């Protein structure tokens, strides 16, 4: 911020009133970012959120705007000035959460892959079960993309965000492991993915911050997951403590290395999915085998890429 | 552990961002509606048990993010689904104009036997309507989809929409059971999906409501 005085103001001036797909998507989401917080129930807060998101989309068109940025930015605005919120968003998108919000949320999928790998290392009993249920991929994406803000009560999630800015992605992975660990028994008893998602969703809904002095903010996620059983409250500081005690052996350098490895896997699997769905869409009676069609797909893809396009 | 229910069919909610998928889900499973619900990140999930005839069926409903960048993730859920509600906002023509693309996306990933209902949501905002009922109904008929207009806000047709899809799934399965000497009969609730049936198979037949 100090090395770029006036940069944000200038961006805001340049981006105001310019229309793009990003601004349209931002506009649609402004009231759906942190609607439960009074700061975003009036035009003042909404306008600040609009300016920061629009300015960022203008600064970095390759990312533009991605849902989840709206939720994270809302919280940044609550704890700093508008300009500070902007620079924190820059740090998030371009350094701390690399590629999280780009066109295929590759970065978040990469860290999710790391999470699966760590589950195998730290919680082997659970790992196989999770794999069977396919749970990790379905539930944890939002944990990463919104730093738990969309799944935990506000007062609790901000404590995690705080630790995250201090220690980086390690904290998110650590807490994610602690959440699985805390629910081990129940998860092992689940018969399908939906059941496991309900167990975890309900647990996260009831992570509370007893030290919070501000008036409680209603927790929206609970609308979807609350059940009939009386909820068991979990203290966020206890959860964090356990996560440090059990899983803090993770090192930032190791995570970077794992990110590198996972990245190739993720991109390969996205490519495979794309190829499969294209090939599947072709009628069976055209006289080519699946293998031939897949080969053809690759030929078209390479050709398209050499002309600077990718097949859709 | 044995499930106490006969089966747990899974249904996906798909469609453009902001058409009201999450509110349709919360209205159906919790009878709740929120004017400013949060944007869905990735996939959300909820269940509700409904009675179909004498059978209790625990429907699993997957609510997916409408945003394009999440498509690679959300489309993974189409595969295990036996039903889909393709939702558009009847006060925003743009969300209806892309229904065909959504349908293609769905059929690209889902089983060919999936039961699909086209849902025009926000019918309470009749003064702001941009998509005529007849136009959407015609499109649905021509494409072998069920069709209903709903309002998650005032509850109109929300129950009916989900229940109609579930009923249709069940009828289809029982029909298939009757003449299933072939091996590739679909099994309800199987998240893995098993082998893919021939893609030349006819889509859900049209039912006027």
């Amino acid at each position: 911020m100090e090395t770029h005085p006036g940069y944000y103001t200038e961006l805001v001036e340049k981006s105001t009133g310019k229309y793009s797909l990003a601004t349209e998507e931002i506009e649609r989401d402004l009231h759906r970012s942190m609607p439960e917080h009074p700061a975003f129930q009036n035009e003042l807060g909404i306008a600040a959120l609009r300016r920061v998101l629009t300015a960022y989309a203008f600064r970095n068109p390759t990312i533009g705007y991605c849902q989840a940025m709206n939720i994270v930015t809302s919280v940044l605005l609550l704890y700093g000035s508008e300009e500070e919120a902007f620079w924190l968003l820059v740090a998030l998108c371009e350094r701390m959460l690399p590629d999280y919000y780009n066109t295929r949320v590759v970065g978040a999928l990469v860290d999710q892959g790391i999470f699966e790998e760590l589950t195998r290392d730290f919680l082997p009993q659970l790992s196989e079960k999770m794999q069977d249920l396919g749970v990790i991929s379905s539930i944890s994406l939002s944990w990463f993309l919104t730093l738990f803000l969309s799944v935990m009560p506000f007062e609790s999630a901000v404590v995690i965000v705080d630790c995250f800015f201090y220690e980086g992605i390690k904290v998110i992975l650590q807490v994610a492991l602690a959440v699985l660990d805390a629910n081990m028994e129940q998860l092992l008893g689940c018969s399908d993915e939906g059941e496991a998602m309900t167990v975890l969703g309900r647990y996260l809904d009831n992570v509370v911050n007893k030290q919070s002095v501000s008036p409680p903010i209603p927790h929206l996620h609970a609308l979807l997951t609350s059940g009939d059983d009386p909820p068991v409250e979990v203290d966020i500081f206890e959860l964090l403590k356990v996560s440090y005690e059990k899983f803090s052996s993770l090192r930032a350098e190791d995570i970077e290395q794992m990110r590198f490895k996972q990245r190739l896997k993720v991109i390969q699997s996205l490519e495979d999915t794309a190829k499969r769905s294209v090939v599947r869409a072709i009628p069976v009676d055209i006289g080519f085998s699946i293998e031939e069609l897949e080969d053809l797909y690759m030929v078209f893809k390479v050709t398209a890429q050499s002309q600077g396009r990718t097949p859709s | 552990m044995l499930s106490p229910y006969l089966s747990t069919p899974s249904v996906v909610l798909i469609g453009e961002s902001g058409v009201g998928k999450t509110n349709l889900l919360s209205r159906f499973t919790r009878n709740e509606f929120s004017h400013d619900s949060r944007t869905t990140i990735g996939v959300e999930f909820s269940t509700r048990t409904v009675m179909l005839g004498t059978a209790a069926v625990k429907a699993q409903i997957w609510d997916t993010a409408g945003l394009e960048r999440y498509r690679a993730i959300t489309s993974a859920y189409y595969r295990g689904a036996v039903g889909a509600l393709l939702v558009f906002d009847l006060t925003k023509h743009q969300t209806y104009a892309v229904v065909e693309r959504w349908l293609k996306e769905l059929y690209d990933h889902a089983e060919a036997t999936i039961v699909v209902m086209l849902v025009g949501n926000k019918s309470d905002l009749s003064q702001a309507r941009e998509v005529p009922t007849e136009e959407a109904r015609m499109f649905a008929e021509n494409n072998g989809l069920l069709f209903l207009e709903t309002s998650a806000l005032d509850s109109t047709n929300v129950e009916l929409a989900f229940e109609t899809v579930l009923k249709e799934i069940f009828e289809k399965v029982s029909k298939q059971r009757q003449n299933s000497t072939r091996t590739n009969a679909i099994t309800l609730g199987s998240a893995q999906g098993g082998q893919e049936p021939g893609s030349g198979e006819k889509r859900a037949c049209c039912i006027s409501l």
Side-chain angles (χ1 to χ4, degrees):
Chain A
M1 198 157 95
E2 273 161 21
T3 54
H4 297 82
Y7 176 84
Y8 175 67
T9 322
E10 206 177 299
L11 261 189
V12 170
E13 272 167 20
K14 275 198 226 155
S15 60
T16 304
K18 293 246 167 62
Y19 175 86
S20 68
L21 179 64
T23 59
E24 189 191 317
E25 289 180 346
I26 290 168
E27 207 53 46
R28 199 170 46 207
D29 288 349
L30 289 174
H31 291 270
R32 308 196 296 152
S33 305
M34 188 143 287
E36 69 275 31
H37 198 288
F40 298 100
Q41 289 161 1
N42 59 63
E43 197 39 45
L44 201 70
I46 294 292
L49 183 58
R50 179 188 291 119
R51 282 192 297 272
V52 174
L53 290 173
T54 310
Y56 188 78
F58 201 75
R59 164 191 165 89
N60 189 347
T62 37
I63 289 182
Y65 167 73
C66 177
Q67 272 176 3
M69 284 166 75
N70 57 332
I71 297 171
V72 174
T73 306
S74 301
V75 172
L76 299 179
L77 276 167
L78 290 173
Y79 290 91
S81 71
E82 202 177 306
E83 192 173 356
E84 283 163 347
F86 171 79
W87 285 109
L88 284 171
L89 182 64
V90 170
L92 276 182
C93 295
E94 293 165 22
R95 189 162 49 83
M96 301 185 79
L97 302 175
D99 272 348
Y100 262 49
Y101 303 121
N102 75 9
T103 42
R104 291 188 293 182
V105 295
V106 169
L109 293 173
V110 165
D111 284 354
Q112 196 175 52
I114 295 180
F115 177 41
E116 284 186 48
E117 219 176 308
L118 293 173
T119 308
R120 268 198 299 279
D121 294 346
F122 284 99
L123 307 166
Q125 333 75 296
L126 201 57
S127 169
E128 203 175 316
K129 179 81 180 176
M130 297 282 97
Q131 212 82 47
D132 290 351
L133 299 176
V135 182
I136 289 189
S137 51
S138 45
I139 194 161
S140 66
L141 192 74
S142 57
W143 301 1
F144 290 101
L145 282 167
T146 69
L147 308 172
F148 285 101
L149 286 164
S150 65
V151 290
M152 255 186 215
F154 172 77
E155 301 85 355
S156 309
V158 290
V159 180
I160 299 181
V161 175
D162 219 9
C163 296
F164 166 77
F165 273 110
Y166 184 64
E167 289 215 82
I169 195 66
K170 163 186 194 301
V171 174
I172 304 296
L173 289 164
Q174 218 175 273
V175 172
L177 286 168
V179 168
L180 288 192
D181 190 42
N183 289 281
M184 174 97 70
E185 227 164 283
Q186 272 190 288
L187 289 171
L188 288 172
C190 286
S191 55
D192 62 43
E193 186 179 7
E195 237 176 84
M197 269 185 92
T198 309
V199 166
L200 292 172
R202 202 172 290 170
Y203 174 87
L204 292 167
D205 285 342
N206 292 294
V207 176
V208 295
N209 180 349
K210 290 187 178 132
Q211 293 178 24
S212 173
V213 284
S214 49
I217 309 289
H219 176 46
L220 286 181
H221 186 257
L223 272 186
L224 289 174
T225 52
S226 61
D228 307 321
D229 312 331
V232 183
E233 288 194 342
V234 183
D235 182 21
I236 179 63
F237 294 100
E238 188 55 33
L239 177 63
L240 272 167
K241 198 174 124 228
V242 170
S243 88
Y244 274 98
E245 280 166 3
K246 290 194 175 169
F247 308 111
S248 68
S249 57
L250 292 170
R251 292 185 317 153
E253 307 93 85
D254 296 339
I255 295 174
E256 281 314 313
Q257 217 159 22
M258 289 167 100
R259 273 181 168 171
F260 184 72
K261 209 175 80 189
Q262 281 293 337
R263 204 184 157 74
L264 298 174
K265 270 198 207 167
V266 166
I267 291 176
Q268 185 61 50
S269 112
L270 284 171
E271 282 301 321
D272 285 350
T273 312
K275 183 167 73 180
R276 253 201 320 274
S277 71
V278 168
V279 170
R280 267 198 68 171
I282 298 169
V284 280
D285 52 358
I286 68 164
F288 287 106
S289 72
I290 299 276
E291 291 73 26
E292 285 168 336
L293 285 172
E294 288 190 350
D295 289 345
L296 273 172
Y297 173 87
M298 290 314 291
V299 172
F300 277 113
K301 188 173 164 73
V302 170
T303 317
Q305 268 170 350
S306 66
Q307 293 169 1
R309 287 181 287 119
T310 48
S312 56
Chain B
M1 200 178 76
L2 259 178
S3 168
Y5 300 97
L6 281 181
S7 57
T8 52
S10 80
V11 173
V12 283
L13 282 158
I14 62 171
E16 288 292 283
S17 178
V19 298
K21 298 180 290 294
T22 302
N23 268 315
L24 281 171
L25 175 64
S26 65
R27 174 62 78 196
F28 180 63
T29 58
R30 314 269 316 148
N31 199 18
E32 278 166 337
F33 177 89
S34 150
H35 260 287
D36 287 316
S37 67
R38 193 153 42 206
T39 49
T40 306
I41 306 299
V43 180
E44 292 273 6
F45 170 83
S46 197
T47 61
R48 188 178 140 183
T49 303
V50 289
M51 294 301 292
L52 289 183
T54 54
V57 172
K58 188 179 183 183
Q60 301 199 332
I61 299 146
W62 299 89
D63 177 22
T64 63
L67 204 73
E68 177 80 34
R69 320 188 169 198
Y70 290 130
R71 212 59 58 77
I73 297 125
T74 53
S75 60
Y77 289 84
Y78 302 172
R79 192 147 39 109
V82 286
L85 268 67
L86 200 183
V87 188
F88 67 92
D89 174 352
L90 55 76
T91 70
K92 289 205 177 72
H93 194 273
Q94 179 273 332
T95 64
Y96 171 74
V98 292
V99 156
E100 206 159 351
R101 223 176 56 208
W102 276 101
L103 206 55
K104 181 181 177 308
E105 177 95 10
L106 181 66
Y107 287 138
D108 278 355
H109 295 89
E111 302 291 334
T113 47
I114 191 168
V115 172
V116 186
M117 176 182 271
L118 181 65
V119 175
N121 190 34
K122 309 197 185 177
S123 64
D124 51 285
L125 298 171
S126 55
Q127 71 290 355
R129 177 191 283 278
E130 285 183 9
V131 182
T133 310
E134 275 318 304
E135 190 186 333
R137 187 193 301 280
M138 282 292 283
F139 177 88
E141 272 181 32
N142 293 335
N143 288 275
L145 315 176
L146 301 162
F147 173 69
L148 265 184
E149 286 187 346
T150 59
S151 164
L153 183 133
D154 67 19
S155 299
T156 306
N157 283 345
V158 176
E159 296 261 320
L160 186 63
F162 283 98
E163 283 176 12
T164 308
V165 168
L166 290 168
K167 260 187 212 141
E168 176 75 9
I169 291 168
F170 269 69
E171 274 165 26
K172 219 171 184 176
V173 170
S174 24
K175 246 185 244 157
Q176 199 139 8
R177 283 222 178 108
Q178 280 164 19
N179 51 19
S180 78
T181 41
R182 279 170 302 158
T183 46
N184 61 357
I186 61 160
T187 315
L188 274 186
S190 112
Q192 307 309 329
Q195 288 297 309
E196 291 151 12
S199 52
E201 200 162 335
K202 187 88 183 73
R203 309 283 189 211
C205 65
C206 143
I207 289 189
S208 287
L209 293 165

